[in-house]
Amino acid sequence: MSPATSIRRKVALALFGVTGLALAAVAAALWIFEYRTADLRARATLESLAETMAPGLIASLDFDTPAVATETLQRLESGGIVIAATVFRASADNAAPQPFATYQRPGMQPVFSPQPGAAGFIRRADRALLKHFLRVEGVPIAVLQLEADVGPFRRSLRESLVILGIVIVLVGAASLWLTRLLHRALTRPLLQLADTVTHVHTRGDYSARAAIGSRDEVGRLAEGFNLMLAGIEQRDRQLAEQTAFQQAVLENAGVSIISASTAGIIRTFNAASERMLGYTREEVVGRCTPEVFFDRDEMVRRAHDLSARLGRAIAPDLKLVTALAAQNPGGFEWVYRRKDGAQIPIFLTLSALHTADGKYLGHCGIATDLTERKAAETAVRASEERMRRSFEASPIALALSDQAGAVLYLNRKFTEWFGYTIADIPNVDIWYTLAYPDPAIRQRNTQIWNNRIAEASARGSAMEPTEAEVTCRGGRRRLIEFHCQQFEGLSLVAFTDITERKAAEDALRASEEQFKLLTEHAPDAIVLFDLDLGVLVSANSAAEQLFGRSRAELLHCSILDLSPPQQPDGRASADKARERLATTAAGATQPFEWHYQRPDGRIVIGETRLLRFPHPNRTLIRGSVTDITERKAAEEAVRASEERFRIVAEQTGQMIFDQDLLKGTRVWAGATATIIGFSNEELGRTPPGWWTARVHPDDLESFRARSEQLRHHCGTQRFGYHFRRRDGQWIYLAENVTAVSANTSQPIRLLGTIADETARRAAEEAVRAGTEQLRLTVEQSGQLFFTHDLERQQVRWAGAAEAITGYSVDFLNHTHFGWWDEVVHPDDRAAAGETFLRIGREGGQARMSYRLHHRDGRWVHLLANITAVAGAEGRPGQIFGSIADITAEAEAAEAIRQLNTELEQRVRDRTAELAKRVAEVEHLNADLRTSQDDLAHAAARLQEANSNLLAANQELESFSYSVSHDLRAPLRNIAGFVELLRKRTTGHLDPEADRYFGIVGTEAVRMASLIDDLLTFSRIGRAELHFAPVQLAALVAEVQSELQSDLTGRQIEWRIQPLPPVLGDRTLLRQVVANLLANAVKFTRKRPLAVIEIGAETAPAGAELAVFYVRDNGAGFDPRYAAKLFGVFQRLHNPRDFEGTGIGLANVKRIVDRHGGRVWAEGVPDQGATFHFALRPATP
Amino acid sequence: MPQATRILLVDDDPAGAELTAAALHEIGLGENISIASDGEEALDFLFRRGRFADGPESPPAVILLDLKMPKVDGHEVLRQIRADPRLHRSRVVVLTSSDQEADITRSRELGSDAYLVKPTSIVELIDQLGRLSPQWQQPDPAGQS
């Protein structure tokens, strides 16, 4: 059991252990006992059985009646235990004893064999054997062996064991339960106590209490513990309170409290210390000594002093401080040094700290900051010094005396003025004597003085100033004003020499009188305004008149009383007045207009001049007001009239100037700006010669001449000139100037108007030009114009009179009225005249044509357009007309008329002819239509034939295709089987039969070949052509490579020339090339070196087709049969020499024909052949 | 492989079929040839219908197929063959007299493995079949069906 095992476990172990052990011991003992006694019991039982049977058995033995013995033994059966019993006669040799009688329980097998030897008991497992000597008289005569089944015994043993086990378990459980009870009763309280202790210890929580579970020892222990805790808690609380209290005291102290240990280490450092010294608590507590904040210099100095005083050396360290403390128990002045180095004068009280039993703990220093006090002291000293100096420097005499009348202090000025020093006047009485020689005056003054003093004391304020004439040393008199201030039992008297002031005041008064006199009779209103009082303090009679108030009334008025609420500019009078006064007080002197209001409401406009009036103790403003109301009115009138004038001048649209010849100034008015671009004001500022400079050079001479004239002679001049406007534009000005004089002939003034006549001149010019143009137009028109004035019966003529009539315009204009009618053709006169009159009556327009007798005698045709022009009252007043000569036109018209007639005739003729032609054309058309119909029919028939042909072709081709296709299969089979046959029969049949088979096979192959060619041929016809540029060279190369297999062993020289591209179907053209080349190869077979050449022939210019050739040096052919060459199945060679179906070239021809080309051949037998073919070239 | 390659020969021309069989014999594939004389028969054989219902289980290794046949033509047969996954391992060689581009293309589209134009001479046929046959006699190394 280790120390850490809990009590519970210990208890449990103890309980359980003990009970367990006990039980186990008991059980063991019991069991062993049982075990042992089992045998004994068994033996005993058997023994008793044996004993019981012994007599009987012995008897049987004696009588040698085994059957009886056996019967005896039989009785064992009822016992139930014995399994086998045997009686042996005791034999001397003990060897193989013979059983005398036996018993055996039925169904059981004995285990033991007869046992020799001594009597005894043997047990083996569940069987026991008792060997019992049957004795007669102590002599064993037989042995009885009883074998018994001790099983039951043993079983009971085992059972008891089991029961024991159960009991142990029960006891164990009971003990566990007991353990728990014990735990609850005993260990738990203890544990709780332990927990509480731990809690209190770790948390410091003295308020915790142990639970008291029972009233036993543990409970008592817990109670005691709780009491103890309560005590501790209370103590702790008290301690905490006390500490807090002390802490608060320390922290809130206004003085620095620092404590240090015996070793000098700082222990406490309160908040005030922190503030005073600049160190934080953490920086110093436990880390420094107070020397940290002692001022080194101070220490040295004090040490020195103290050393001197005490007569022994004192080191400048903590010891110094303690020594000083000892010297000055109430405290001493000292110097601390802040963290930042600043010095703080302090008052330090040092006390030693002891515990209750006198143990020395350290020192505590309380320091009060003396900085302020020191500063105050210094300030006081300084101020005292200042006061003293100012006293001395004062421009007035000062004297200080106490209540007893002793004079304490006289300043320099006093001595200066009065000639007395403090030595002369030790007390005030002597002063009185000296100052007022006259006793009566002295008495009076003294009395007054004392009264005043008393009053002042009673009131608690300063004494009223008194005046008195003082006699100075040497007799001089001064008029003095006395001021007295009492404080702290002292009297401070200030003397002011008012002699001069008085004189000044008198002078002032005199001047004021003079001033009053002056102002009184001034024509302007003059007032004095007291700025502080805010009212007038003086006014003259002119003011009375202006303001409409009496002097008495005026003296109570402020500015506002005399002014309307608002000034003309809309601002309040109050504000403006305030401003004015302020500026004047500041020194402004500008006059200004002000509106005043009389009591009757009338507004008076006053020109006001304000001036700061010098006065010693009052702020006075002198104001003089001139009534300018009338003047203003007059000015206004003038201004209004000027304005009117300006407007009028402006509206004239002209410029008006007034030139003063003497002064040389010009004043301008009017629409100057509009005309010349400069304003009147600007012109007014222009220098002399400015105007002339802007006059056009061409007009300058006349301008100058005129101007000169005006200077010397009165009168009016009118002239015009060109002038350059502001914007540089030239305008025409017409100047109308009048020179006036005063009373001499010399003009002193020029008054003029200038008008812009540019427009007018321009207009005039335009009119003139227009008129001229009109005249020219009229003349050029070639027409004659007249204006017939109906009222005045006048006619004015203009235009081409001469051309039309032969008479001039002048003549017409001056001839008599009605002349015109006389020259009109008599036949036309009436109509024309009537029209004219009608228009003249009714108005409107008309056109007349008539003949006129030209001057040169011929008749001219005239066309007149007349228009009535309305006159007065809306009736036609004039008739305006234009006349044109239409003779030519008339003649032309006639000519046209004639031509027209002619033309009509011609047209009629032509029309007749045309009708005839039309009829002819009609006929032709009919014929045409008929032939068209025929054509259509023919075309239809052709179409039909064509489609028939196509169909037939189609049929033929498909027929040949399917035939050849279908024919191939059987052919193939024939050939195949023939081959098989040949294989089979080789060597079996005679050579001739072989040869026949060979021929059959060959023929079959040949037929197949023919059919193939036929198929190809038919396909060529069926196949659609796809035309595209084809590179023949490529085809040649392809075919060449194909033929390679056939060329093994052949010597062929290929000469392939450049082949231009052609237009055609690649597949078909390939066949062409293949055929031709294959032929060339075939027919050159017999040549050791075959030469095959393919190339293009140079085409003649403009040729449509490109011609190619394939030439070989082969067998050639007879040119007589060239025509047959390209026939179907036509051959010009024996099959013996060259195989082939003869369809190759037919194919070539067919293909080339379909391409729109041509093919032909040349040959020389045994020398070679050349095949040409022509195809359309592909356009590059 | 020890077993003879099973070949189905579809041709409506009996003599032609016999020739083809002889050619196959020449190249050592004449052991196991079945002949169908038109498309319908061919399909019955392949799909074990009609009188071929008790036919052999496994499909032929090679099918030589003519195109121009009555009843069901070669292309239709080809289409049906290729539609049946069971027959995917069978090689179909179109053996026809037609050399038309259209037929070749169509056969390719329908999935024939080779296209032979029946040559005129049997020697050539033997040659062509011989060139093809190594494929048939060896199993497809990739084991594709």
Side-chain angles (χ1 to χ4, degrees):
Chain A
M1 197 168 312
S2 75
T5 321
S6 69
I7 289 180
R8 180 181 185 164
R9 186 155 297 184
K10 285 182 186 148
V11 166
L13 273 169
L15 260 176
F16 196 70
V18 163
T19 46
L21 268 170
L23 270 174
V26 164
L30 264 172
W31 198 79
I32 292 169
F33 174 75
E34 280 284 336
Y35 183 77
R36 296 281 312 194
T37 55
D39 279 351
L40 283 170
R41 270 186 280 124
R43 184 172 180 164
T45 312
L46 286 173
E47 288 275 2
S48 73
L49 272 172
E51 287 295 327
T52 313
M53 288 187 303
L57 286 171
I58 292 170
S60 20
L61 277 163
D62 279 338
F63 295 109
D64 203 19
T65 49
V68 176
T70 311
E71 208 190 305
T72 312
L73 289 178
Q74 292 284 68
R75 276 190 254 138
L76 285 169
E77 179 147 0
S78 65
I81 302 171
V82 177
I83 291 174
T86 319
V87 177
F88 296 101
R89 270 197 197 277
S91 59
D93 53 14
N94 268 341
Q98 296 290 321
F100 178 71
T102 59
Y103 156 74
Q104 195 176 313
R105 186 185 292 272
M108 309 286 283
Q109 232 5 38
V111 167
F112 291 96
S113 55
Q115 298 287 323
F121 178 86
I122 308 168
R123 192 182 58 75
R124 264 192 225 140
D126 280 351
R127 298 286 174 83
L129 185 74
L130 180 68
K131 194 164 170 195
H132 184 83
F133 281 118
L134 295 168
R135 295 175 190 270
V136 172
E137 285 126 26
V139 178
I141 57 161
V143 174
L144 172 64
Q145 225 171 264
L146 288 172
E147 188 178 320
D149 179 16
V150 293
F153 283 110
R154 301 189 61 75
R155 266 196 292 282
S156 77
L157 217 54
R158 280 200 282 276
E159 278 169 18
S160 69
L161 211 59
V162 167
I163 291 168
L164 220 51
I166 292 170
V167 167
I168 287 175
V169 165
L170 283 171
V171 169
S175 71
L176 267 170
W177 176 70
L178 264 173
T179 309
R180 192 177 314 154
L181 279 179
L182 258 177
H183 168 73
R184 205 174 295 148
L186 196 62
T187 58
R188 195 143 61 110
L190 278 171
L191 280 172
Q192 279 177 349
L193 196 63
D195 283 339
T196 313
V197 169
T198 319
H199 177 82
V200 166
H201 172 68
T202 50
R203 304 261 180 93
D205 178 11
Y206 298 115
S207 61
R209 295 286 178 270
I212 300 173
S214 57
R215 298 209 48 93
D216 59 8
E217 287 80 349
V218 175
R220 288 231 292 278
L221 178 63
E223 273 176 27
F225 180 72
N226 285 345
L227 280 171
M228 186 185 72
L229 274 179
I232 292 173
E233 193 188 359
Q234 192 180 29
R235 210 87 56 94
D236 185 61
R237 201 174 333 124
Q238 282 174 349
L239 193 68
E241 278 173 18
Q242 224 170 5
T243 314
F245 193 72
Q246 282 174 354
Q247 198 71 16
V249 166
L250 258 182
E251 284 307 306
N252 293 318
V255 293
S256 151
I257 303 174
I258 303 168
S259 71
S261 69
T262 48
I265 305 294
I266 294 172
R267 274 276 129 79
T268 66
F269 195 79
N270 73 341
S273 309
E274 286 181 336
R275 280 195 299 272
M276 181 188 285
L277 295 169
Y279 291 98
T280 66
R281 204 167 309 202
E282 290 73 28
E283 283 176 302
V284 298
V285 169
R287 296 195 199 164
C288 312
T289 65
E291 284 191 54
V292 159
F293 33 80
F294 289 172
D295 181 69
R296 195 79 207 139
D297 300 328
E298 177 74 9
M299 297 231 305
V300 166
R301 196 176 60 81
R302 297 291 282 266
H304 188 262
D305 286 346
L306 194 60
S307 306
R309 197 125 33 94
L310 293 179
R312 57 182 161 92
I314 307 283
D317 57 18
L318 276 172
K319 290 215 188 48
L320 166 66
V321 184
T322 46
L324 281 170
Q327 285 282 310
N328 309 293
F332 55 95
E333 281 190 19
W334 189 242
V335 176
Y336 271 165
R337 231 158 56 98
R338 284 176 59 91
K339 187 174 181 180
D340 56 24
Q343 292 182 339
I344 309 176
I346 55 158
F347 190 79
L348 181 64
T349 315
L350 203 66
S351 32
L353 296 170
H354 296 101
T355 61
D357 50 359
K359 188 168 123 193
Y360 173 59
L361 291 171
H363 271 93
C364 174
I366 302 174
T368 324
D369 193 342
L370 294 181
T371 325
E372 280 171 28
R373 199 179 84 182
K374 287 239 176 269
E377 281 175 10
T378 320
V380 164
R381 250 199 309 278
S383 101
E384 271 182 16
E385 185 58 34
R386 267 201 306 274
M387 204 166 83
R388 205 185 58 73
R389 266 190 290 200
S390 63
F391 265 26
E392 275 302 315
S394 172
I396 53 176
L398 296 166
L400 193 69
S401 63
D402 66 13
Q403 274 176 342
V407 172
L408 303 173
Y409 175 73
L410 299 171
N411 77 341
R412 205 173 340 118
K413 207 67 178 185
F414 187 95
T415 312
E416 196 186 304
W417 279 355
F418 303 118
Y420 305 116
T421 66
I422 195 163
D424 300 323
I425 314 180
N427 64 27
V428 292
D429 292 325
I430 298 181
W431 161 255
Y432 286 135
T433 317
L434 288 173
Y436 314 113
D438 188 326
I441 298 172
R442 193 189 313 144
Q443 197 177 6
R444 192 177 54 109
N445 285 349
T446 316
Q447 194 128 26
I448 295 170
W449 180 263
N450 290 334
N451 288 345
R452 293 257 167 100
I453 294 284
E455 269 176 38
S457 306
R459 268 206 315 275
S461 65
M463 192 197 81
E464 263 185 58
T466 21
E467 283 176 22
E469 202 178 53
V470 167
T471 312
C472 314
R473 185 188 280 248
R476 175 154 166 206
R477 297 270 183 86
R478 284 184 186 267
L479 189 61
I480 300 290
E481 196 177 69
F482 298 85
H483 294 259
C484 178
Q485 184 73 33
Q486 306 229 304
F487 58 94
E488 295 166 17
L490 298 170
S491 298
L492 180 69
V493 183
F495 307 82
T496 321
D497 188 345
I498 57 170
T499 330
E500 282 159 21
R501 197 181 76 184
K502 271 268 183 244
E505 278 179 7
D506 291 339
L508 183 66
R509 214 172 302 113
S511 96
E512 269 184 17
E513 285 303 323
Q514 199 176 15
F515 169 74
K516 273 205 175 68
L517 218 61
L518 281 170
T519 56
E520 190 54 41
H521 300 293
D524 289 339
I526 299 177
V527 296
L528 271 179
F529 179 75
D530 190 321
L531 200 59
D532 305 316
L533 294 176
V535 294
L536 301 181
V537 294
S538 117
N540 66 353
S541 42
E544 283 181 325
Q545 279 200 313
L546 189 131
F547 294 117
R549 291 173 166 85
S550 72
R551 197 167 316 211
E553 287 173 320
L554 283 173
L555 293 184
H556 292 293
C557 290
S558 68
I559 305 291
L560 294 176
D561 295 331
L562 304 172
S563 314
Q566 271 183 335
Q567 288 298 305
D569 67 357
R571 290 185 60 199
S573 301
D575 297 330
K576 285 200 83 172
R578 206 181 340 191
E579 267 175 40
R580 284 283 172 202
L581 291 171
T583 53
T584 308
T589 55
Q590 283 295 95
F592 59 93
E593 270 181 35
W594 189 262
H595 280 222
Y596 298 95
Q597 195 169 43
R598 295 166 62 96
D600 57 17
R602 187 158 72 87
I603 299 290
V604 173
I605 304 172
E607 192 175 83
T608 313
R609 281 184 188 71
L610 296 181
L611 194 65
R612 185 114 191 254
F613 192 78
H615 197 278
N617 38 18
R618 282 146 71 175
T619 321
L620 297 178
I621 307 271
R622 176 197 184 273
S624 74
V625 183
T626 316
D627 188 346
I628 54 166
T629 322
E630 276 171 28
R631 192 184 85 191
K632 281 292 283 188
E635 277 179 8
E636 183 58 37
V638 166
R639 202 198 53 74
S641 110
E642 271 184 17
E643 184 65 23
R644 271 199 300 278
F645 168 71
R646 195 189 62 71
I647 290 167
V648 164
E650 186 83 29
Q651 294 196 342
T652 57
Q654 298 192 345
M655 295 161 56
I656 304 170
F657 68 88
D658 181 344
Q659 187 170 3
D660 187 329
L661 287 169
L662 299 173
K663 290 199 209 123
T665 55
R666 255 202 201 189
V667 175
W668 292 88
T672 316
T674 320
I675 293 175
I676 63 168
F678 294 94
S679 70
N680 289 319
E681 291 72 31
E682 283 175 294
L683 284 182
R685 292 196 293 271
T686 55
W690 180 90
W691 188 268
T692 319
R694 295 188 84 90
V695 174
H696 198 279
D698 297 343
D699 303 323
L700 206 53
E701 209 183 302
S702 68
F703 181 83
R704 282 222 180 92
R706 297 291 178 103
S707 303
E708 206 45 47
Q709 185 109 20
L710 284 167
R711 275 175 208 278
H712 295 108
H713 305 284
C714 290
T716 306
Q717 291 278 357
R718 246 202 110 82
F719 54 97
Y721 53 90
H722 288 93
F723 187 83
R724 192 159 51 87
R725 280 168 56 103
R726 187 184 208 137
D727 59 15
Q729 216 184 330
W730 288 102
I731 51 171
Y732 192 81
L733 299 178
E735 209 174 301
N736 203 349
V737 190
T738 311
V740 295
S741 62
N743 37 23
T744 61
S745 60
Q746 188 74 5
I748 57 163
R749 195 164 165 207
L750 297 177
L751 296 162
T753 60
I754 303 178
D756 184 354
E757 300 231 314
T758 325
R760 196 173 71 90
R761 273 171 75 88
E764 275 177 8
E765 179 60 36
V767 165
R768 198 197 51 73
T771 314
E772 182 61 28
Q773 197 160 30
L774 186 67
R775 193 186 63 73
L776 281 167
T777 311
V778 159
E779 288 211 347
Q780 306 244 344
S781 71
Q783 295 195 357
L784 181 60
F785 299 95
F786 69 85
T787 313
H788 185 124
D789 193 327
L790 292 166
E791 280 150 35
R792 296 214 200 92
Q793 298 290 338
Q794 268 181 0
V795 190
R796 303 240 19 106
W797 295 90
E802 192 132 4
I804 292 178
T805 63
Y807 301 95
S808 71
V809 172
D810 267 341
F811 174 81
L812 290 178
N813 276 331
H814 290 105
T815 192
H816 60 273
F817 189 75
W819 170 88
W820 189 262
D821 293 325
E822 292 162 16
V823 291
V824 173
H825 197 282
D827 295 346
D828 305 325
R829 209 174 287 165
E834 199 192 304
T835 312
F836 197 86
L837 286 170
R838 182 169 58 78
I839 294 299
R841 267 198 318 275
E842 297 165 9
Q845 289 178 324
R847 201 174 246 218
M848 315 182 295
S849 79
Y850 47 83
R851 287 158 290 183
L852 190 93
H853 199 218
H854 196 274
R855 192 178 190 182
D856 60 15
R858 56 189 172 98
W859 288 100
V860 290
H861 287 259
L862 300 181
L863 181 69
N865 282 316
I866 60 170
T867 313
V869 176
E873 302 143 26
R875 282 182 38 226
Q878 292 175 329
I879 293 182
F880 177 77
S882 66
I883 300 170
D885 184 344
I886 57 165
T887 321
E889 279 86 348
E891 283 169 9
E894 181 60 38
I896 287 171
R897 224 186 342 272
Q898 278 204 347
L899 274 168
N900 264 352
T901 325
E902 249 182 63
L903 197 66
E904 270 164 27
Q905 182 58 39
R906 235 181 275 171
V907 163
R908 271 195 291 280
D909 293 343
R910 283 275 183 273
T911 314
E913 210 178 295
L914 199 66
K916 217 171 30 180
R917 287 260 191 278
V918 164
E920 276 175 33
V921 166
E922 286 287 338
H923 281 132
L924 276 169
N925 263 355
D927 292 340
L928 195 67
R929 260 199 295 282
T930 323
S931 38
Q932 265 186 345
D933 286 340
D934 292 340
L935 201 67
H937 283 131
R941 278 199 296 277
L942 193 69
Q943 187 80 339
E944 205 181 306
N946 218 24
S947 40
N948 284 345
L949 197 67
L950 268 169
N953 220 21
Q954 194 81 343
E955 264 180 50
L956 183 69
E957 285 181 3
S958 62
F959 170 74
S960 52
Y961 176 77
S962 57
V963 157
S964 41
H965 192 270
D966 289 340
L967 282 174
R968 289 191 77 196
L971 252 179
R972 259 204 316 279
N973 292 343
I974 293 168
F977 276 106
V978 161
E979 190 61 37
L980 287 177
L981 266 173
R982 280 190 72 181
K983 283 207 177 149
R984 281 211 120 139
T985 60
T986 332
H988 298 309
L989 295 176
D990 58 81
E992 199 62 19
D994 276 334
R995 201 175 62 81
Y996 291 157
F997 274 133
I999 292 168
V1000 171
T1002 320
E1003 290 305 298
V1005 167
R1006 191 173 133 230
M1007 192 159 156
S1009 224
L1010 271 168
I1011 292 172
D1012 278 343
D1013 286 344
L1014 202 63
L1015 209 57
T1016 315
F1017 182 73
S1018 80
R1019 254 198 236 126
I1020 288 167
R1022 289 191 320 147
E1024 270 179 41
L1025 283 182
H1026 294 114
F1027 271 79
V1030 174
Q1031 297 290 345
L1032 285 177
L1035 292 181
V1036 167
E1038 274 178 43
V1039 168
Q1040 258 189 298
S1041 64
E1042 263 183 24
L1043 292 173
Q1044 273 305 111
S1045 52
D1046 298 336
L1047 302 180
T1048 47
R1050 292 283 308 271
Q1051 293 277 65
I1052 301 181
E1053 184 184 320
W1054 292 95
R1055 294 191 194 151
I1056 304 173
Q1057 311 297 336
L1059 302 166
V1062 297
L1063 204 60
D1065 185 306
R1066 195 179 196 277
T1067 322
L1068 295 179
L1069 287 180
R1070 191 177 190 284
Q1071 275 208 305
V1072 165
V1073 170
N1075 272 330
L1076 291 175
L1077 288 184
N1079 273 355
V1081 164
K1082 182 160 70 176
F1083 286 101
T1084 54
R1085 219 178 18 223
K1086 301 228 172 90
R1087 299 272 180 264
L1089 174 69
V1091 177
I1092 304 175
E1093 188 178 334
I1094 313 119
E1097 285 166 19
T1098 45
E1104 264 186 38
L1105 301 174
V1107 183
F1108 304 88
Y1109 64 89
V1110 178
R1111 183 174 298 130
D1112 65 71
N1113 65 344
F1117 61 89
D1118 189 339
R1120 281 181 294 168
Y1121 306 119
K1124 293 169 87 180
L1125 207 55
F1126 294 99
V1128 176
F1129 291 138
Q1130 290 297 328
R1131 304 200 69 233
L1132 296 187
H1133 290 274
N1134 212 307
R1136 266 205 313 273
D1137 303 321
F1138 297 103
E1139 73 288 1
T1141 52
I1143 205 161
L1145 287 176
N1147 281 346
V1148 166
K1149 181 174 195 310
R1150 192 140 189 217
I1151 291 170
V1152 172
D1153 281 346
R1154 283 196 78 189
H1155 278 72
R1158 273 180 322 121
V1159 62
W1160 67 101
E1162 293 148 4
V1164 178
D1166 213 33
Q1167 279 193 21
T1170 309
F1171 288 83
H1172 305 262
F1173 59 96
L1175 295 168
R1176 277 220 292 281
T1179 43
Chain B
M1 304 296 98
Q3 256 191 341
T5 313
R6 291 191 43 245
I7 298 175
L8 172 66
L9 183 52
V10 187
D11 198 335
D12 63 337
D13 173 15
E18 194 175 330
L19 269 176
T20 312
L24 285 170
H25 189 83
E26 282 299 310
I27 58 170
L29 293 170
E31 305 281 310
N32 193 346
I33 303 176
S34 311
I35 299 179
S37 48
D38 57 56
E40 195 181 70
E41 259 193 45
L43 290 172
D44 283 348
F45 178 89
L46 287 169
F47 296 117
R48 299 178 66 229
R49 302 199 287 253
R51 66 184 181 85
F52 297 103
D54 314 316
E57 283 260 346
S58 52
V62 184
I63 304 166
L64 295 169
L65 184 58
D66 189 13
L67 288 181
K68 307 275 184 288
M69 291 187 292
K71 295 187 195 166
V72 183
D73 86 333
H75 278 137
E76 179 54 29
V77 173
L78 177 54
R79 198 187 62 73
Q80 288 202 22
I81 289 172
R82 279 297 171 239
D84 187 337
R86 197 175 66 92
L87 300 168
H88 274 185
R89 291 194 123 248
S90 307
R91 293 191 188 280
V92 178
V93 178
V94 173
L95 181 61
T96 177
S97 50
S98 162
D99 62 350
Q100 293 299 291
E101 197 72 40
D103 287 328
I104 301 176
T105 315
R106 183 129 174 82
S107 303
R108 274 269 173 273
E109 282 171 8
L110 288 171
S112 66
D113 294 292
Y115 191 102
L116 282 184
V117 178
K118 282 189 199 166
T120 323
S121 112
I122 191 171
V123 173
E124 251 190 76
L125 178 63
I126 294 169
D127 208 30
Q128 287 184 9
L129 287 173
R131 272 185 254 132
L132 276 182
S133 74
Q135 288 180 42
W136 307 340
Q137 288 175 327
Q138 286 158 24
D140 187 352
Q144 287 174 11
S145 62

